[in-house]
Amino acid sequence: MKVPMQWIRQYTDIPVTPEEFESAMIMHGTGVEGLDNQNDAVQNVVVGKILSVRKHENSDHMVICSVDVGEDAPIQIVTGAPNVHEGDLVPVAKVGAVLPGGVKIKKGKLRGVESYGMMCSIEELGSNREMYPEAPEYGIYIFPEDATVGASAIEALGLNDAVI
């Protein structure tokens, strides 16, 4: 069974690091298979707000989005995700971002239109629908309305936690 440290901390005060907790559990006879620091390698993924969505002229299923990522100007992202709408708050991997498995996000061109990042599903961020049952089966994860534009998406999702 995998248990995030934040879940354990909801029920009891644990004033030690995840590594110290793992060691204490082992010393008290509880089998621990390991400690996984979720998404240590994920970088440059923020909460973005979709400002506009327009149809891609050279595609039946792609759209072009203008997305506020908390910087001076919005960025343009091309996506084929079926569930993006103006006003949605979404995880955005900006150019230079690193995703689980070492996937690096680069500026790209999709059917002739430049894209400066990628909106992410919960799976692309290294988690799954078991942890986030509200996540859509197909498409981009949509944050609740209280998420902060420009903040770390990994922290907003609680994916910066250790799992024991």
Side-chain angles (χ1 to χ4, degrees):
M1 172 201 240
K2 293 183 178 184
V3 180
M5 289 297 295
Q6 65 181 339
W7 286 5
I8 296 170
R9 287 190 174 109
Q10 288 177 0
Y11 297 100
T12 187
D13 181 36
I14 302 175
V16 296
T17 67
E19 293 78 12
E20 292 168 329
F21 180 76
E22 174 191 31
S23 178
M25 293 292 288
I26 292 168
M27 293 303 293
H28 287 92
T30 302
V32 176
E33 292 181 19
L35 179 67
D36 180 26
N37 286 314
Q38 285 189 304
N39 294 315
D40 273 349
V42 176
Q43 301 169 11
N44 209 19
V45 180
V46 300
V47 176
K49 181 175 185 172
I50 300 174
L51 302 175
S52 67
V53 179
R54 70 182 199 274
K55 185 175 175 355
H56 192 303
E57 293 179 10
N58 299 322
S59 173
D60 292 337
H61 71 283
M62 289 184 159
V63 293
I64 303 166
C65 299
S66 176
V67 184
D68 177 0
V69 291
E71 296 178 353
D72 293 337
I75 62 173
Q76 177 173 282
I77 299 178
V78 178
T79 184
N83 68 322
V84 294
H85 302 95
E86 189 174 306
D88 285 346
L89 296 167
V90 298
V92 175
K94 300 188 301 183
V95 171
V98 178
L99 298 177
V103 174
K104 294 181 182 169
I105 303 302
K106 300 175 186 170
K107 180 176 94 170
K109 207 176 233 187
L110 290 113
R111 300 215 178 160
V113 177
E114 290 188 337
S115 185
Y116 298 91
M118 179 178 107
M119 292 181 273
C120 301
S121 68
I122 202 70
E123 291 82 7
E124 289 165 329
L125 296 173
S127 193
N128 58 54
R129 292 187 62 237
E130 290 174 5
M131 295 285 289
Y132 296 90
E134 75 279 9
E137 187 172 351
Y138 302 104
I140 304 305
Y141 181 79
I142 309 296
F143 283 104
E145 292 178 6
D146 63 348
T148 304
V149 172
S152 165
I154 299 303
E155 287 184 23
L157 286 164
L159 291 174
N160 57 336
D161 195 17
V163 176
I164 192 152

